[in-house]
Amino acid sequence: MDGVSVAAGGTELSRRRDAADHRARVETERGIHRYRTLALFAGAAQGLIYPADRAVMVWATLGALAVSVVAARWAMARHPGPTAIRRLGALTMGFDVMLIALFLANALRDPTDPIQMLPLFLAAEGAVRWGRIGGMATGAAAGVMAATWSVVVHARQDIVQPLAFVTFRVVAVVIIGSLLGSTVSAVRRQRRLADMVCNASSDLIVSFDLHGTVRTVNPACEAILGYTQDELIGTDRAELVLGEDKPDGPPDLESLRRLGSRHVELQFTHKAGHSVWLELDLQPDLQEGFVYAIGRDVSARRQTEAGAPPPRRPRRAHRGRQPGAPGGASGARAARAPAHLPALRRPRWVQGRQRQPRPPGR
């Protein structure tokens, strides 16, 4: 049975880790698509100011970008699984490579045109999406695109670029992509470790912003409070607090800044309706705009402290009193016995025995 329990626990932790990795990929894709939307508006503004060689080409490319942004957001709204999110990332990356190639092909007149910096965005996108390996691969592709554009533009001006200039562009973009990817990979490793510790903990670990809205919570919330993670994320942290310590409004920034870390005990409402006492360690991080709380269920200790019987006094010997007399020990126990309990009977072999009188003189 122990082996089965260990295997089940390992399977559950593995499932939680995979779920955390998937949530991280989804958040990464959402961030990338937010920046792609920003790039769409920036490109439209730039197209009005500088239409490059052909304005029709600029607006056609921006239209294709708009379609891809809408399609990606529609796909993200359908809550894609791990395989679907990987395919979406690969398709989006390939489409962005094509769009940037079209932008570069529409600006071939001026060798000093800053549009030659666009391939750097591909290296950054690949690094954010796939880490160090992705940064190196997309950096190499982006470097080749930038070097090819430079060679073509200079050739149209009858200028031959030295090979060292071409290779330098490629190597520089690869290094930039590799550095960004290495940083992203290191951050992801730290986040994965933190997620594993958080998911495996039996304590409640929750974070809320400076408005009091719950942002993250670990799976222990279901065992302690009865609510799932999806039910708690997005709610106000004061909704489940009972008693006089119930927070009124958002956290007090001045108090958090002055007191720093705090240790409190608060009473919460369980989903089943009963109350739960939690011992909380509050750790504010005002620079990031979050407050972290680690809670342990101390309801049993609270109940023990509230209902602990008074200390019993030591018994005193009662000499000279017959057992069962009103003032004797047996009489006292008989007086304390509940009325509904049946009377105790002596065994038959005791009832048949008679105490012999003590001979005089002894």
Side-chain angles (χ1 to χ4, degrees), residues 123-188:
E125 182 179 344
V128 170
R129 183 175 278 124
W130 296 307
R132 183 174 61 88
I133 296 177
M136 292 180 64
T138 55
V144 170
M145 291 176 64
T148 303
W149 180 89
S150 180
V151 170
V152 172
V153 173
H154 283 84
R156 297 184 65 176
Q157 302 292 330
D158 296 328
I159 301 174
V160 178
Q161 270 202 323
L163 181 61
F165 288 9
V166 177
T167 56
F168 176 79
R169 286 176 179 269
V170 177
V171 172
V173 179
V174 170
I175 291 175
I176 292 174
S178 179
L179 287 175
L180 288 174
S182 298
T183 303
V184 171
S185 296
V187 172
R188 284 179 178 170

Side-chain angles (χ1 to χ4, degrees), residues 182-244:
S182 298
T183 303
V184 171
S185 296
V187 172
R188 284 179 178 170
R189 283 194 297 270
Q190 295 296 326
R191 180 174 181 174
R192 185 176 292 108
L193 177 61
D195 286 340
M196 291 176 63
V197 173
C198 183
N199 291 332
S201 176
S202 59
D203 293 337
L204 178 68
I205 303 176
V206 61
S207 68
F208 53 89
D209 58 23
L210 299 184
H211 299 287
T213 304
V214 176
R215 293 303 180 187
T216 61
V217 63
N218 68 331
C221 63
E222 191 167 0
I224 295 177
L225 297 176
Y227 294 91
T228 64
Q229 293 174 280
D230 294 335
E231 290 175 327
L232 289 180
I233 293 176
T235 62
D236 191 273
R237 95 275 190 218
E239 289 185 4
L240 302 179
V241 181
L242 297 175
E244 300 178 353

Side-chain angles (χ1 to χ4, degrees), residues 22-40:
H22 176 62
R23 287 195 299 268
R25 291 192 188 96
V26 170
E27 290 301 321
T28 299
E29 286 297 326
R30 285 177 179 170
I32 289 174
H33 292 300
R34 282 194 294 267
Y35 280 101
R36 294 180 79 241
T37 304
L38 180 62
L40 174 62

